[in-house]
Amino acid sequence: MFKNYIKIAFRSLWKNRLFTGINLLGLSLGLASAVVLILFIQRGLTFDTFHRESDQIYFIQTEDKDSRYNQTVYPILDQLLKTYPEIKKGTHVQGWGNAWINYKGKDIQGSTKYVDSTFFDIFSFKLKYGNAATALKNKQSILINNDIAISLFGDTNPVGQIVSVNDTLNFTVTGVLQNLPANSSIQFDVLMPIANLESDKNFQENADWYNTFATVYIKLDKGASVSKLEGKFPGFVKTHFAEGGKDRKIRIAPIKDFIHYQNPFFKNMIYGAMTIAVFILLIISINLINLNTAIAFTRAKEVAVRKVTGSNLRQILTQFWFESGIVLVSALILSIFFAVSYLIPQFNEYRQGRMQLMLNWEQDKVTILTLLLIIGIIAFVAGTYPALYLNKLDIRDTIKGKITKKTQSRSWTRESLIVIQFALTIILILGAISVRMQIGFMREANVGFDKENIVVVQSDMQYKDENTAVGQFTGILDDLKQNPHIKSISTSGVVPTKYWNNYNVYFSESEPDKEIRLRQGGTSSAYTKTYNIRMLEGRDFSEELDKNGENNPVIINESAMKALGWKSAVGKRLRPKSNQKVYTIVGVMKDFNYQELKERIEPLIHWYEGTTALNSYLTIKFDDSKNAVTVLAALESKMKKIPAKKPFKFFYLSDEVSRQYNDLDGIWKMVNFVTILSIVIALAGIFGLITLAANQRIKEVGIRKVLGANVREIAILLSRDFIALVTISIAIGLPLAYSFVKSFLQSYQYHVELKWYVFALVGVFALFLTILTVGFQSIKAAMMNPVKSLKSE
């Protein structure tokens, strides 16, 4: 019997090969997109949950008046472990400069985290070589990832080898890490014991009970109450925190939420991917069900004969399930091939190294089984509905061919599905347009500073002799100032798009009740001139006036002045709550967007760093970017003469500003692909249905032509129902699209407004494509010779 089902299924699919082809096209493309989106959703929803007992792992947060963030004071961990027995273990995961590792003259720098010896008691990162239980016990231990290990040692096991770190101390390689999971919020190339940081003088000065730069993870006893533990923290803060930080709150959050606090937009990406995946699955399911139902009417006699010869409902259902299953399994095979060979590499390119996707049975079996379950449900519904419908038809009328009227009657279920399908397609079209317009708006918006003809050189190249570098760099700057093609230069610790995530609370010396949390950055003279940032009052830093730094000069932005309630700020003095320094405001900058336009402009303070090679960036403003190539080549030649570990690197600021929106650009490309896909599937479905409708009414068309109907009248007759359904879809889809688009755009602090005519044009476009599709097939049917269509009568 099984063999019989298969044989009849293939025979039926081949007989209706146009519809089989349409189904395979829509399903394979749709499922390929769904595979990628479901993989991304699965990675996003399971962030950091691969660790053993991940439900017991938490991280410490700080909450102040304005925000809640994932860092805290450094000494807190030891004190928490002493004070609260429900905290089993904890570890710092601290960044503080990336280590340079040297082995036999070869230098490699890797992203470095400094951790406690308990690191592997909390986290389940796997080692290729070494013992996790002992790898971090000694201060002079170092763990490296597999890529660094291969670069330095080849394919041999390097555990026990001695390497030089930062040209100062020798460390023993005690472990080699396997590749970290893509959905880990903790990413690193090198691990070192945090005892190495604790002996650093600069680190010691900052590792107090005020500065919140430490990332701390803890592991709670099973069943420990988070709310009860947090309820004990206010007293802990009052007892231990520095005077300026006693108004803060300590929070703890599960490790799975770390990524969402660090990057709130990531959650929107996951929800957006969920929405699109649901849309795709709905569209391809609707298409399959519609076409299967429509084709089923041509098989009414077949089902009637089966019933006469003894087939029951279960056997009829099984036959239809087999046919749907064969199409879906074939589509799944094609979709996986397309996803792995094209869509996943494209998606990974959009992500630019962040959370890369890769299909892996061990990690993705839940995702694959979920997809198989979805396919099973679609096959079940697509096979069940037409089988049940045909089973209800009267056997006698069906065999005698007296169900023509019934088969041509309007199916409200099918028409409703067409309306839903096109409404979803319209939402996707407007979604793609809104994302594209938002990207264009952000890339072209006036951000409050010049970005054209500006090149930023990464001037701190990890010099081997800093004193020598400073002297040589001064001469290089003097030469640049003499170049007629250079309008201005500036050195700084920060530049637009690359501001530190560094904040402090300041208060007015004359009005201590006025407190403000300021984002901090270091710049030198000519910063505002080079970037053409307008000064509202006061002046920029000056090498002549500020080189001694006697008054600790600072410049604030307009938002900071407004937040402090001042109409004028020059001459006023600010004090940080972290120390006794007093800063004098010498200028106020007009607000400029130093970060992405999705973020509001935060209150900002610049302190004076001086002009030095040790600043992170050298900014050069050219009269024309065409002149940059020659100057940069000469500059590279001079900079390479200063012994350093890092290569000479630079970027054009306009490119970097644009690059900020590459994530959104990737989203647009994904939505755009899905939109085109949904249009193709919807139109292919309509094409299949109009073809079937024309075939079912072929004799009616012949009679009408004999009686004098012309081609236009017959084309309208065949296509008007479909055009009416698409018109209803437009009426439903446009308001829903407006709601989705408005919600998406409002997630950006600065956003474009979609005009009414954009929605109108999308409606007209959808209607035009439908008329084109159904019109072509309708005219083709109307032009058929009536002699051929009526010859059997």
Side-chain angles (χ1 to χ4, degrees), residues 190-244:
V190 178
L191 282 183
M192 295 173 67
I194 203 160
N196 292 282
L197 267 189
E198 292 172 344
S199 58
D200 180 273
K201 185 180 177 183
N202 188 29
F203 182 81
Q204 291 170 3
E205 290 174 356
N206 288 276
D208 55 22
W209 284 93
Y210 178 81
N211 290 307
T212 54
F213 65 85
T215 304
V216 175
Y217 294 87
I218 57 174
K219 194 169 193 177
L220 301 185
D221 276 327
K222 195 166 186 65
S225 171
V226 172
S227 58
K228 285 182 180 178
L229 182 59
E230 281 192 338
K232 302 172 185 178
F233 286 159
F236 180 90
V237 172
K238 296 295 182 189
T239 303
H240 297 286
F241 274 49
E243 193 60 38

Side-chain angles (χ1 to χ4, degrees), residues 533-672:
I533 299 167
R534 191 159 69 87
M535 298 295 293
L536 289 181
E537 62 170 345
R539 62 174 176 84
D540 195 357
F541 294 124
S542 163
E543 288 185 39
E544 291 74 25
L545 298 174
D546 300 320
K547 62 181 176 181
N548 295 323
E550 292 175 1
N551 296 318
N552 295 321
V554 292
I555 297 172
I556 63 173
N557 69 350
E558 185 181 3
S559 289
M561 185 172 71
K562 286 179 180 177
L564 286 162
W566 294 338
K567 291 186 178 178
S568 176
V570 171
K572 293 186 177 178
R573 289 148 69 89
L574 293 172
R575 255 191 62 190
K577 294 183 79 173
S578 57
N579 56 57
Q580 299 300 311
K581 268 189 177 181
V582 178
Y583 294 90
T584 303
I585 299 171
V586 298
V588 178
M589 300 174 288
K590 177 76 175 169
D591 278 345
F592 65 99
N593 295 95
Y594 52 86
Q595 53 188 345
E596 296 177 52
L597 284 174
K598 72 179 180 184
E599 309 290 350
R600 69 181 179 88
I601 298 175
E602 296 175 309
L604 177 68
I605 187 170
H606 285 171
W607 60 65
Y608 182 65
E609 281 196 326
T611 302
T612 168
L614 305 181
N615 280 340
S616 300
Y617 303 105
L618 163 64
T619 302
I620 307 171
K621 185 173 186 177
F622 291 90
D623 55 357
D624 191 320
S625 58
K626 294 176 183 176
N627 299 315
V629 177
T630 306
V631 174
L632 289 170
L635 178 61
E636 180 178 9
S637 177
K638 292 174 183 177
M639 294 285 282
K640 281 184 174 179
K641 291 178 182 177
I642 309 175
K645 293 179 179 177
K646 284 187 176 181
F648 178 83
K649 288 185 178 180
F650 65 89
F651 58 83
Y652 288 85
L653 186 63
S654 56
D655 293 342
E656 197 64 25
V657 170
S658 180
R659 199 173 291 121
Q660 289 182 114
Y661 307 111
N662 280 1
D663 260 358
L664 190 59
D665 207 28
I667 292 171
W668 174 76
K669 287 174 181 175
M670 181 175 67
V671 173
N672 198 44

